[in-house]
């Protein structure tokens, strides 16, 4: 039978399950990646798994390749980050992973350059892992514990996705770029339009896009809620890998001629114009010209979406010989050491500096609120992928997501400007050979030496929260009721003040849901058990499992919502928190914050595969719940989480 690309890669990695949309499938994982903000937790979990093995001292990762990156917590304002990095480094050395040192770049950019392989599966403890789809990989974001299990050789379980074909025709006009393509897809489909789906790109337009452009699109496919996004692997992919000195990794992958799709979205690249996502959601998309003239205070160029050499060469060409507007602060973070070195070697960096840009290190930086928080009420144009309220570190700043071209032009004019009105577009050449310098990559200890490597824990690393087997009944208070599209940034914020404590759940817990209710942590602590009530697409955004582990620590027993985002639902199950959804969405309206709710006979009902119901003790009403757990998920929940189930 004719297959699309997604089906081909899934079929080649299927360990168990049926390839019917919605049914659970188990996939063999070839590669994993972690970053430091989720990595400390993932390696604590890996260590817990290793402790349960026959010889914990010599246990090694079982994947073809696993890389531990440090790119998020690079502001070392205290000992915490440096200690955590030392811990991750020691785990990498002992367990057989490559360690990418701080300064080497953002995990997704470096992985694309140095490690991604068409046709392979990759999971990463970061939601933008689908960047690898630009090379034709099946690359997915996951919680840290799922990544730890995959490192240990375990399969990765997901619901079999639907596959949506995004058929590209035509060719991008001058000044229009890959970011405008994905912003258009977001405008069409919204931040929940991709839930349960893989976005597979095809059509004649594909060959007009370079690998970094494709990677911009697959990276930000995450904002659709998609399981992942993927491009074919073709001659353009081959040329990119050859230029990276990795031509041997190339294989061709394309969809069969009569491949079937669950849906089709048609995009004519020739018709696109520069686009912008307005505050505070990536799908709040308009044409740049509709907001032209808006004064801009800050421009940030970088992040895993738009920090490739190609992006920054364009930016340098736009800035060359000009001066950043006096009202604008322009900051640029190259995506990797490769990009940074090449900009330096060919003189583009000098053009950027001369124009008045602030150069940041190769890291996530302002994208995750690590510095560069805008002034109060400021307008910040960013080439990033998320503009959630408060994520920049300034609650009332307006963050607008744009292409590097639109960002660079605004940095010069001081107002939002449609770049098509700015004159000749930048012309750049694709390199035929990238500069390769692996000085900041560390190889693991050999198998013989590994036993002698000591794992170094710092005092900021606190034990994982304790879980318990699912009780017979649960009675708890609806401690918080929130609306639609709640992000994991709402549940567990990031930013410079909090990120250093990613391995310290008790400390983090003070900030849980602070943006929605500043008393959340206090209220939870005063209760024995609590529930959170939410709307649709609950838990979208970051893959951080802290958004499950912290509520677990605070005594949240179940999250009851209209619908979930995929990774967060998996993280809740892994943490042993029940993720439940209303069978009738209208029942959401019948619950007030503060109501005492009950899940009667929850354990027995789950064991027997019976439907669950929620009793509201204030009104006596009973609300039926969707109980669509697979037998594996059920067993994990009964055991009190994935660690308890596995070890
Ligand atoms: C993000 O962009 O929100 C992050 C920070 O990269 C997260 C991971 C994290 O919270 O550490 C993500 O996207 O998964
Ligand atoms: Fe880093 Fe931002 Fe990319 Fe997340 S979205 S990995 S914080 S650059």
């Amino acid at each position: 039978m004719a297959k699309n690309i997604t089906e081909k890669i899934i079929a080649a990695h299927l360990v168990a399950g049926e390839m019917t949309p919605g049914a659970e499938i188990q996939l063999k994982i070839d590669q994993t990646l972690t970053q430091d903000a989720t990595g400390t937790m993932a390696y604590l979990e890996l260590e817990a798994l290793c402790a349960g093995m026959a010889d914990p001292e010599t246990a090694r990762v079982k994947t073809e390749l696993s890389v531990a990156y440090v790119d998020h917590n690079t502001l070392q304002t205290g000992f915490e980050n440096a200690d955590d990095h030392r811990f991750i480094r020691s785990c990498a050395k002992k367990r057989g992973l490559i360690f990418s040192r701080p300064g080497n770049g953002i995990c997704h950019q470096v992985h694309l350059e140095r490690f991604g392989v068409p046709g392979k599966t990759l999971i990463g403890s970061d939601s933008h892992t689908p960047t690898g789809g630009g090379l034709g990989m099946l690359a997915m974001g996951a919680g840290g514990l799922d990544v730890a299990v995959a490192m240990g050789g375990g399969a990765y379980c997901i619901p079999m996705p639907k596959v949506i074909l995004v058929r590209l025709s035509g060719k991008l006009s001058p000044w229009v770029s890959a970011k405008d393509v994905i912003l258009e897809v977001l405008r069409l489909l919204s931040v929940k339009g991709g839930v349960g789906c893989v976005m597979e790109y095809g059509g004649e337009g594909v060959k007009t896009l370079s690998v970094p452009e494709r990677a911009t699109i697959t990276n930000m496919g995450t904002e659709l809620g998609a399981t992942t996004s993927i491009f074919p692997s073709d001659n353009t992919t081959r040329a990119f890998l050859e230029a990276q000195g990795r031509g041997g990794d190339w294989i061709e992958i394309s969809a069969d001629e009569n491949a079937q799709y669950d849906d089709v979205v048609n995009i004519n690249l020739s018709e696109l114009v520069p686009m912008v996502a307005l505050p505070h959601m990536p799908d709040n998309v308009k044409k740049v010209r509709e907001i032209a003239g808006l004064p801009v205070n800050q421009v940030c160029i970088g992040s895993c979406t738009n920090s490739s050499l190609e992006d920054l060469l364009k930016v340098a060409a736009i800035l060359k010989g000009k001066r950043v507007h006096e009202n604008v602060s322009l900051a640029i973070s190259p995506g990797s050491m490769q990009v940074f070195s090449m900009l330096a070697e060919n003189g583009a960096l000098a053009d950027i500096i001369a124009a008045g840009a602030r150069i940041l290190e190769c890291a996530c930086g302002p994208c995750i609120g690590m510095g560069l928080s805008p002034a109060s009420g400021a307008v910040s144009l960013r080439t990033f992928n998320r503009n959630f309220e408060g994520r920049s570190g300034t609650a009332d700043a307006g963050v607008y997501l744009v292409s590097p071209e639109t960002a660079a032009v605004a940095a010069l004019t001081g107002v939002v400007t449609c770049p098509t009105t700015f004159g000749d577009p930048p012309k750049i050449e694709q390199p035929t050979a990238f500069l390769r310098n692996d000085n900041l990559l560390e190889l693991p200890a050999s198998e013989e030496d590994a036993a002698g490597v000591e794992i170094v824990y710092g005092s900021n690393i606190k034990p994982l929260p304790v879980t318990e087997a699912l009780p017979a009944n649960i009675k708890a208070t609806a401690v918080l009721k929130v609306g639609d599209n709640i992000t994991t940034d709402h549940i567990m914020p990031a930013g410079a003040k909090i990120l250093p404590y990613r391995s310290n759940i008790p400390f983090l817990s003070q900030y849980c849901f602070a943006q929605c209710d500043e008393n959340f942590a206090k209220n939870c602590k005063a209760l024995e058990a609590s529930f959170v009530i939410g709307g649709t697409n609950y838990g979208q955004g970051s893959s951080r499992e802290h958004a499950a582990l912290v509520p677990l620590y605070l005594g949240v027993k179940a999250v009851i919502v209209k619908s979930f985002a995929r990774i967060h639902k998996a993280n809740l199950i892994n943490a042993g928190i029940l993720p439940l959804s209303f069978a009738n969405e209208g029942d959401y309206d019948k619950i007030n914050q503060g109501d005492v709710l009950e899940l009667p006979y929850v354990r027995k009902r789950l064991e027997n595969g019976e439907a669950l119901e929620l009793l509201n003790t204030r009104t006596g009403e009973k609300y039926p719940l969707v109980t669509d757990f697979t037998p594996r998920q059920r067993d994990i929940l009964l055991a009190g989480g994935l660690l308890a189930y596995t070890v």
Side-chain angles (χ1 to χ4, degrees):
M1 214 182 83
K3 285 199 178 70
N4 56 46
I5 299 171
T6 311
E7 289 166 341
K8 285 185 186 183
I9 303 182
I10 289 180
H13 291 84
L14 196 66
V15 175
E18 271 193 33
M19 289 172 56
T20 316
E24 187 175 83
I25 51 168
Q26 302 192 13
L27 294 176
K28 175 184 175 297
I29 296 302
D30 302 319
Q31 300 189 347
T32 65
L33 70 80
T34 56
Q35 39 91 336
D36 50 331
T38 52
T40 38
M41 220 23 102
Y43 295 108
L44 280 176
E45 289 157 344
L46 180 67
E47 286 308 310
L49 292 173
C50 290
M53 289 183 179
D55 186 357
E57 271 308 301
T58 57
R60 303 273 278 186
V61 293
K62 298 208 168 53
T63 46
E64 290 173 14
L65 172 96
S66 287
V67 190
Y69 292 92
V70 173
D71 53 4
H72 281 61
N73 280 330
T74 54
L75 265 192
Q76 290 161 322
T77 49
F79 67 92
E80 291 86 357
N81 292 159
D83 275 15
D84 285 2
H85 298 160
R86 190 174 57 184
F87 164 68
I88 295 175
R89 181 175 183 228
S90 66
C91 293
K93 222 175 196 59
K94 188 174 184 72
R95 303 297 176 198
L97 293 93
I98 293 178
F99 180 65
S100 173
R101 297 175 59 187
N104 199 38
I106 306 173
C107 54
H108 309 304
Q109 176 66 26
V110 177
H111 209 84
L112 199 73
E113 295 167 356
R114 308 298 300 126
F115 301 114
V117 178
K120 299 278 182 190
T121 50
L122 162 72
I123 64 168
S125 62
D126 190 282
S127 64
H128 290 102
T129 306
T131 313
L135 275 178
M137 304 189 85
L138 193 77
M140 292 162 287
L145 184 48
D146 282 323
V147 177
V149 168
M151 286 193 264
Y156 180 51
C157 303
I158 52 165
M160 174 68 197
K162 290 187 183 161
V163 186
I164 300 183
L165 172 66
V166 186
R167 191 188 287 127
L168 303 178
S169 59
K171 187 177 183 320
L172 291 174
S173 310
W175 288 111
V176 184
S177 78
K179 182 61 151 275
D180 303 312
V181 179
I182 188 63
L183 286 173
E184 171 67 2
V185 181
L186 274 154
R187 187 185 71 79
L188 291 171
L189 301 185
S190 90
V191 289
K192 47 181 191 257
V195 174
C197 303
V198 171
M199 313 301 293
E200 184 170 314
Y201 288 80
E204 279 301 293
V206 165
K207 62 175 186 296
T208 68
L209 299 172
S210 67
V211 167
E213 286 176 311
R214 297 173 188 186
T216 293
I217 294 171
T218 58
N219 171 286
M220 211 171 159
T222 297
E223 274 53 64
L224 296 162
T227 303
T228 187
S229 304
I230 191 163
F231 271 83
S233 169
D234 56 10
N235 282 332
T236 306
T237 323
R238 174 167 36 195
F240 176 83
L241 287 171
E242 279 171 353
Q244 291 287 357
R246 300 201 291 120
D249 285 343
W250 182 75
I251 55 160
E252 184 175 6
I253 307 177
S254 56
D256 292 334
E257 202 154 315
N258 294 318
Q260 302 293 306
Y261 293 91
D262 294 286
D263 211 342
V264 180
V265 177
N266 287 303
I267 294 200
N268 184 346
L269 298 174
S270 313
E271 286 172 1
L272 292 184
V273 296
M275 310 292 273
V276 50
L278 270 48
H280 297 286
M281 270 300 148
D283 61 357
N284 192 6
V285 174
K286 294 229 168 352
K287 295 182 175 125
V288 171
R289 64 168 177 261
E290 292 178 68
I291 60 157
L294 179 73
V296 174
N297 310 98
Q298 184 193 57
V299 173
C300 296
I301 299 178
S303 93
C304 55
T305 322
N306 278 119
S307 60
S308 65
L309 181 67
E310 188 174 324
D311 285 333
L312 297 193
L313 285 176
K314 284 190 206 158
V315 168
I318 296 168
L319 296 179
K320 187 176 171 131
K322 305 203 170 65
R323 195 171 149 210
V324 171
H325 191 275
E326 60 188 1
N327 293 342
V328 177
S329 172
L330 168 65
I332 299 185
S333 25
S336 67
M337 198 233 240
Q338 181 184 81
V339 173
F340 208 2
S341 321
M342 290 182 76
L343 286 176
E345 284 215 338
N346 78 7
L349 184 60
D351 296 332
I352 293 176
I353 296 171
R358 301 167 64 179
I359 310 297
L360 310 180
E361 69 172 328
C362 309
C364 299
C367 178
I368 190 59
M370 290 304 243
L372 274 286
S373 297
S376 304
V379 168
S380 177
L381 252 58
R382 299 177 163 208
T383 65
F384 306 168
N385 46 38
R386 292 187 170 142
N387 57 350
F388 303 147
E389 201 170 357
R391 181 174 159 105
S392 66
T394 306
D396 63 357
V399 173
Y400 295 70
L401 307 175
V402 294
S403 69
E405 290 88 333
T406 303
V409 169
L412 296 174
T413 61
V415 291
V416 173
T417 307
C418 184
T420 55
T421 61
F422 192 70
D424 290 338
K427 286 210 171 45
I428 58 145
E429 303 236 324
Q430 296 287 347
T432 49
F434 287 93
L435 200 101
R436 293 194 307 281
N437 172 345
D438 289 341
N439 280 347
L440 290 177
L441 287 176
E442 267 180 33
L443 295 179
S446 66
E447 279 194 42
E448 299 80 69
D449 295 343
V453 177
E454 191 198 336
I455 306 279
V456 195
Y457 294 88
S459 58
N460 185 41
I461 300 181
K462 301 285 182 246
L464 296 166
V466 205
T467 60
E468 52 184 40
L470 191 75
N473 301 294
I474 306 179
K475 189 171 184 178
T477 305
V479 66
L480 180 70
K481 183 175 177 184
V482 288
D484 291 344
N485 290 327
I486 287 294
T487 71
T488 45
D489 275 58
H490 287 102
I491 308 171
M492 200 50 254
K497 293 195 194 88
I498 312 178
L499 263 186
Y501 299 94
R502 277 292 182 88
S503 36
N504 187 341
I505 300 288
F507 182 91
L508 279 184
S509 68
Q510 309 167 62
Y511 299 93
C512 189
F513 272 120
Q515 206 181 316
C516 305
D517 175 357
E518 57 183 17
N519 292 319
F520 178 80
K522 210 171 83 210
N523 293 344
C524 283
K525 282 190 182 148
L527 294 163
E528 202 142 293
S530 43
F531 291 151
V532 172
I533 309 295
T536 55
N537 200 24
Y538 179 91
Q540 66 157 328
S542 159
S543 66
R544 60 191 73 149
E545 61 188 334
H546 304 76
L549 293 174
V550 171
L552 167 72
Y553 173 82
L554 289 172
V556 174
K557 303 293 178 202
V559 177
I560 306 147
V561 300
K562 292 183 185 169
S563 68
F564 285 99
R566 177 186 69 90
I567 305 177
H568 186 60
K569 183 174 178 186
N571 285 340
L572 288 171
I573 295 174
N574 288 352
I577 297 179
L578 286 162
L580 303 168
S581 35
F582 294 105
N584 308 315
E585 284 198 358
D587 289 342
Y588 165 90
D589 299 317
K590 299 180 187 155
I591 298 177
N592 295 341
Q593 188 164 312
D595 283 354
V596 175
L597 308 168
E598 217 175 317
L599 287 169
Y601 308 112
V602 60
R603 184 171 182 97
K604 207 157 115 237
R605 286 185 167 167
L606 210 61
E607 275 170 350
N608 298 340
E610 291 164 29
L612 301 182
E613 59 182 13
L614 184 68
L615 171 72
N616 191 336
T617 62
R618 178 176 57 87
T619 60
E621 291 166 330
K622 286 182 184 156
Y623 315 123
L625 301 168
V626 179
T627 326
D628 55 358
F629 301 117
T630 65
R632 184 185 145 273
Q633 291 173 330
R634 218 171 52 206
D635 290 345
I636 294 175
L637 286 166
L638 290 169
L642 184 55
L643 262 187
Y645 166 83
T646 312
V647 181

